[in-house]
Amino acid sequence: MSEHLETETPDKSCTSQSCQTGRCDGPGLCPGVALLLAYLVGGGIALLTGLKWLGWAVGLPLALVLISGAWRFLRTES
């Protein structure tokens, strides 16, 4: 008795960058790396100031910016 398990092949039809958000080949950082950095920065701010809400207020937007790759759209001085 042999059972054949069908494996799904990845869909190659998605070519827009919006489909790649959240993966390591996406426009931003890998989610694990971005969340670790945001956790360290937010935790450090909360530890230094004693205000947990400030750590969350900094860490959460930082994680979203790093995952989405939005820092590329920030204005830079020439």
Side-chain angles (χ1 to χ4, degrees), residues 5-6 13 15 20-22 25-28 33-35 38 40-42 45 47 53 55-57 62 68-69 74 77:
L5 297 175
E6 293 185 26
S13 64
T15 57
Q20 297 176 358
T21 302
D25 59 346
V33 174
L35 291 174
L40 291 175
V41 170
I45 289 174
L47 185 66
W53 65 267
W56 277 100
L62 178 63
S68 67
L74 297 175
E77 293 183 29

Side-chain angles (χ1 to χ4, degrees), residues 1-2 5 7-8 14-15 17-18 20 23 25-26 34 47 50 52 56 63-64 68 75-76 78:
M1 179 183 274
S2 75
L5 297 175
T7 57
E8 292 183 26
C14 184
T15 57
Q17 284 189 349
S18 64
Q20 297 176 358
R23 290 192 271 166
D25 59 346
L47 185 66
K52 288 184 182 180
W56 277 100
L64 295 174
S68 67
R75 206 172 152 176
T76 60
S78 303

